[in-house]
Amino acid sequence: EMCIRDRYIAICTLFLFSLCVSIQSLTAAYSAERIMKQALTYGTFLILPALLSLIGSYIISREEQDDTMKSLVMIPIKYDMLVAAKLTTTLIIGICLSLLLFSFTLISQIVINAYEITTALVLTNLIDYLLQGIGCFMAVAPIISFMTIFKNGHWLSVIFTEIYSLAGLFAASSKYRGIYPISAVFGFSGTSVITRNEYLICCLSLLVSILIAWLILSFKRYFK
């Protein structure tokens, strides 16, 4: 029931967010390309990480929440494999959320600015949104993992993730944009113009985030 409710929350939020961004095409006469980029940028700072954190932290901790872990330990499966499966599922959800935002925004621009929609525009933005979804997962993975320690931490994770993401607005305009995970997502996806060294720093920052998340989940059982 919780998972279904989260799904509806995510879809409605992304649809309304995309609609609000797309309205700028009418009020400010923005091009389709600019709207696609703005939806991705604002979505990364305001929407995608929070939604991913909410759904991801619930998926990872649902056995403890629903008291079904006792049944799972009877199955001959390593805990590390279970952790890997849950992180992979969360990654897939992050990609789906990003592509859902892409779809809503693209459809709105087909309606408003149909003459500007080209194959190159669609493919370029599709790749950007896809990589951004992967990057968002990597950036918020530590928060998702840490919040699973607390009872009903999936709701608390939304607050922390939103603060974490908004701080990325300031990091993105500083010299630490490649180090701070949320702003590093833009370098990883290629939506920001950066140097080769900065790109390597962005990738390293996101890889460290994944490592931290893995360590938290791997050792979480010892603190229960």
mmCIF file of all heavy atoms in Angstrom, residues 40 94-96 98-99 102 124-136 188-189:
data_model
loop_
_atom_site.group_PDB
_atom_site.id
_atom_site.type_symbol
_atom_site.label_atom_id
_atom_site.label_comp_id
_atom_site.label_asym_id
_atom_site.label_seq_id
_atom_site.Cartn_x
_atom_site.Cartn_y
_atom_site.Cartn_z
ATOM 1 N N LEU A 40 15.015 19.827 -16.298
ATOM 2 C CA LEU A 40 16.033 18.916 -15.792
ATOM 3 C C LEU A 40 16.807 19.550 -14.640
ATOM 4 O O LEU A 40 17.065 18.897 -13.617
ATOM 5 C CB LEU A 40 16.988 18.528 -16.912
ATOM 6 C CG LEU A 40 18.108 17.550 -16.557
ATOM 7 C CD1 LEU A 40 17.527 16.238 -16.048
ATOM 8 C CD2 LEU A 40 19.020 17.307 -17.746
ATOM 9 N N GLY A 94 15.167 5.541 -9.910
ATOM 10 C CA GLY A 94 15.703 6.869 -10.204
ATOM 11 C C GLY A 94 15.702 7.163 -11.691
ATOM 12 O O GLY A 94 15.356 8.268 -12.125
ATOM 13 N N ILE A 95 16.081 6.172 -12.489
ATOM 14 C CA ILE A 95 16.059 6.330 -13.946
ATOM 15 C C ILE A 95 14.638 6.520 -14.445
ATOM 16 O O ILE A 95 14.367 7.377 -15.302
ATOM 17 C CB ILE A 95 16.711 5.103 -14.617
ATOM 18 C CG1 ILE A 95 18.196 5.041 -14.263
ATOM 19 C CG2 ILE A 95 16.525 5.155 -16.136
ATOM 20 C CD1 ILE A 95 18.891 3.785 -14.761
ATOM 21 N N CYS A 96 13.713 5.726 -13.904
ATOM 22 C CA CYS A 96 12.306 5.831 -14.324
ATOM 23 C C CYS A 96 11.717 7.194 -13.984
ATOM 24 O O CYS A 96 10.983 7.780 -14.789
ATOM 25 C CB CYS A 96 11.482 4.721 -13.666
ATOM 26 S SG CYS A 96 11.837 3.063 -14.281
ATOM 27 N N SER A 98 13.346 10.023 -13.683
ATOM 28 C CA SER A 98 13.949 11.005 -14.581
ATOM 29 C C SER A 98 13.340 10.927 -15.981
ATOM 30 O O SER A 98 13.036 11.958 -16.601
ATOM 31 C CB SER A 98 15.457 10.766 -14.649
ATOM 32 O OG SER A 98 16.083 11.761 -15.427
ATOM 33 N N LEU A 99 13.134 9.712 -16.472
ATOM 34 C CA LEU A 99 12.545 9.545 -17.805
ATOM 35 C C LEU A 99 11.075 9.941 -17.813
ATOM 36 O O LEU A 99 10.553 10.390 -18.841
ATOM 37 C CB LEU A 99 12.703 8.097 -18.266
ATOM 38 C CG LEU A 99 14.142 7.636 -18.530
ATOM 39 C CD1 LEU A 99 14.168 6.196 -19.016
ATOM 40 C CD2 LEU A 99 14.818 8.554 -19.544
ATOM 41 N N PHE A 102 11.130 13.568 -18.176
ATOM 42 C CA PHE A 102 11.455 13.829 -19.588
ATOM 43 C C PHE A 102 10.208 13.682 -20.463
ATOM 44 O O PHE A 102 9.934 14.532 -21.316
ATOM 45 C CB PHE A 102 12.548 12.859 -20.050
ATOM 46 C CG PHE A 102 12.731 12.806 -21.539
ATOM 47 C CD1 PHE A 102 13.434 13.795 -22.202
ATOM 48 C CD2 PHE A 102 12.195 11.756 -22.280
ATOM 49 C CE1 PHE A 102 13.605 13.746 -23.579
ATOM 50 C CE2 PHE A 102 12.359 11.700 -23.653
ATOM 51 C CZ PHE A 102 13.066 12.697 -24.306
ATOM 52 N N THR A 124 19.226 13.984 -27.598
ATOM 53 C CA THR A 124 20.192 14.655 -26.712
ATOM 54 C C THR A 124 19.648 14.767 -25.297
ATOM 55 O O THR A 124 20.333 14.446 -24.309
ATOM 56 C CB THR A 124 20.553 16.045 -27.244
ATOM 57 O OG1 THR A 124 21.144 15.925 -28.534
ATOM 58 C CG2 THR A 124 21.520 16.747 -26.302
ATOM 59 N N ASN A 125 18.407 15.221 -25.193
ATOM 60 C CA ASN A 125 17.806 15.380 -23.872
ATOM 61 C C ASN A 125 17.491 14.036 -23.224
ATOM 62 O O ASN A 125 17.560 13.915 -21.990
ATOM 63 C CB ASN A 125 16.532 16.219 -23.975
ATOM 64 C CG ASN A 125 16.819 17.695 -24.078
ATOM 65 O OD1 ASN A 125 17.050 18.371 -23.075
ATOM 66 N ND2 ASN A 125 16.820 18.222 -25.291
ATOM 67 N N LEU A 126 17.161 13.045 -24.014
ATOM 68 C CA LEU A 126 16.907 11.706 -23.473
ATOM 69 C C LEU A 126 18.149 11.176 -22.762
ATOM 70 O O LEU A 126 18.055 10.643 -21.649
ATOM 71 C CB LEU A 126 16.489 10.758 -24.593
ATOM 72 C CG LEU A 126 16.251 9.290 -24.180
ATOM 73 C CD1 LEU A 126 15.130 9.193 -23.154
ATOM 74 C CD2 LEU A 126 15.941 8.442 -25.407
ATOM 75 N N ILE A 127 19.298 11.341 -23.392
ATOM 76 C CA ILE A 127 20.558 10.899 -22.787
ATOM 77 C C ILE A 127 20.853 11.706 -21.522
ATOM 78 O O ILE A 127 21.273 11.149 -20.491
ATOM 79 C CB ILE A 127 21.715 11.031 -23.793
ATOM 80 C CG1 ILE A 127 21.501 10.065 -24.968
ATOM 81 C CG2 ILE A 127 23.054 10.756 -23.115
ATOM 82 C CD1 ILE A 127 22.496 10.233 -26.084
ATOM 83 N N ASP A 128 20.638 13.027 -21.589
ATOM 84 C CA ASP A 128 20.886 13.886 -20.425
ATOM 85 C C ASP A 128 20.011 13.475 -19.242
ATOM 86 O O ASP A 128 20.497 13.361 -18.109
ATOM 87 C CB ASP A 128 20.613 15.351 -20.782
ATOM 88 C CG ASP A 128 21.668 15.926 -21.714
ATOM 89 O OD1 ASP A 128 22.738 15.307 -21.856
ATOM 90 O OD2 ASP A 128 21.412 16.988 -22.312
ATOM 91 N N TYR A 129 18.736 13.248 -19.503
ATOM 92 C CA TYR A 129 17.811 12.868 -18.435
ATOM 93 C C TYR A 129 18.166 11.491 -17.875
ATOM 94 O O TYR A 129 18.079 11.263 -16.659
ATOM 95 C CB TYR A 129 16.366 12.874 -18.950
ATOM 96 C CG TYR A 129 15.695 14.220 -18.916
ATOM 97 C CD1 TYR A 129 16.012 15.198 -19.850
ATOM 98 C CD2 TYR A 129 14.724 14.516 -17.958
ATOM 99 C CE1 TYR A 129 15.385 16.442 -19.832
ATOM 100 C CE2 TYR A 129 14.090 15.750 -17.927
ATOM 101 C CZ TYR A 129 14.430 16.712 -18.873
ATOM 102 O OH TYR A 129 13.805 17.941 -18.843
ATOM 103 N N LEU A 130 18.567 10.588 -18.746
ATOM 104 C CA LEU A 130 18.936 9.238 -18.316
ATOM 105 C C LEU A 130 20.141 9.277 -17.375
ATOM 106 O O LEU A 130 20.123 8.690 -16.280
ATOM 107 C CB LEU A 130 19.252 8.374 -19.537
ATOM 108 C CG LEU A 130 19.771 6.953 -19.266
ATOM 109 C CD1 LEU A 130 18.731 6.143 -18.519
ATOM 110 C CD2 LEU A 130 20.163 6.269 -20.562
ATOM 111 N N LEU A 131 21.184 9.989 -17.794
ATOM 112 C CA LEU A 131 22.384 10.096 -16.966
ATOM 113 C C LEU A 131 22.119 10.884 -15.691
ATOM 114 O O LEU A 131 22.698 10.592 -14.637
ATOM 115 C CB LEU A 131 23.509 10.763 -17.770
ATOM 116 C CG LEU A 131 24.064 9.953 -18.948
ATOM 117 C CD1 LEU A 131 25.100 10.766 -19.714
ATOM 118 C CD2 LEU A 131 24.660 8.637 -18.460
ATOM 119 N N GLN A 132 21.228 11.866 -15.781
ATOM 120 C CA GLN A 132 20.893 12.649 -14.595
ATOM 121 C C GLN A 132 20.178 11.781 -13.562
ATOM 122 O O GLN A 132 20.398 11.929 -12.362
ATOM 123 C CB GLN A 132 20.001 13.836 -14.989
ATOM 124 C CG GLN A 132 20.048 14.993 -13.998
ATOM 125 C CD GLN A 132 21.231 15.919 -14.236
ATOM 126 O OE1 GLN A 132 22.155 15.600 -14.983
ATOM 127 N NE2 GLN A 132 21.221 17.066 -13.614
ATOM 128 N N GLY A 133 19.329 10.876 -14.026
ATOM 129 C CA GLY A 133 18.648 9.967 -13.114
ATOM 130 C C GLY A 133 19.624 9.056 -12.397
ATOM 131 O O GLY A 133 19.506 8.820 -11.185
ATOM 132 N N ILE A 134 20.616 8.549 -13.139
ATOM 133 C CA ILE A 134 21.651 7.712 -12.533
ATOM 134 C C ILE A 134 22.460 8.518 -11.523
ATOM 135 O O ILE A 134 22.743 8.059 -10.407
ATOM 136 C CB ILE A 134 22.578 7.136 -13.623
ATOM 137 C CG1 ILE A 134 21.785 6.220 -14.556
ATOM 138 C CG2 ILE A 134 23.751 6.382 -12.994
ATOM 139 C CD1 ILE A 134 22.577 5.727 -15.760
ATOM 140 N N GLY A 135 22.828 9.736 -11.914
ATOM 141 C CA GLY A 135 23.607 10.590 -11.031
ATOM 142 C C GLY A 135 22.864 10.961 -9.763
ATOM 143 O O GLY A 135 23.452 10.994 -8.672
ATOM 144 N N CYS A 136 21.574 11.232 -9.876
ATOM 145 C CA CYS A 136 20.766 11.578 -8.701
ATOM 146 C C CYS A 136 20.742 10.427 -7.703
ATOM 147 O O CYS A 136 20.821 10.629 -6.486
ATOM 148 C CB CYS A 136 19.345 11.940 -9.116
ATOM 149 S SG CYS A 136 19.170 13.616 -9.769
ATOM 150 N N PHE A 188 28.655 14.967 -14.355
ATOM 151 C CA PHE A 188 28.607 13.550 -14.726
ATOM 152 C C PHE A 188 27.746 13.321 -15.966
ATOM 153 O O PHE A 188 28.107 12.546 -16.855
ATOM 154 C CB PHE A 188 28.055 12.745 -13.546
ATOM 155 C CG PHE A 188 27.694 11.324 -13.886
ATOM 156 C CD1 PHE A 188 28.694 10.368 -14.045
ATOM 157 C CD2 PHE A 188 26.371 10.944 -14.048
ATOM 158 C CE1 PHE A 188 28.372 9.050 -14.366
ATOM 159 C CE2 PHE A 188 26.038 9.637 -14.370
ATOM 160 C CZ PHE A 188 27.043 8.683 -14.533
ATOM 161 N N SER A 189 26.603 14.012 -16.031
ATOM 162 C CA SER A 189 25.684 13.821 -17.155
ATOM 163 C C SER A 189 26.097 14.607 -18.393
ATOM 164 O O SER A 189 25.587 14.360 -19.486
ATOM 165 C CB SER A 189 24.260 14.227 -16.750
ATOM 166 O OG SER A 189 24.186 15.620 -16.494
#
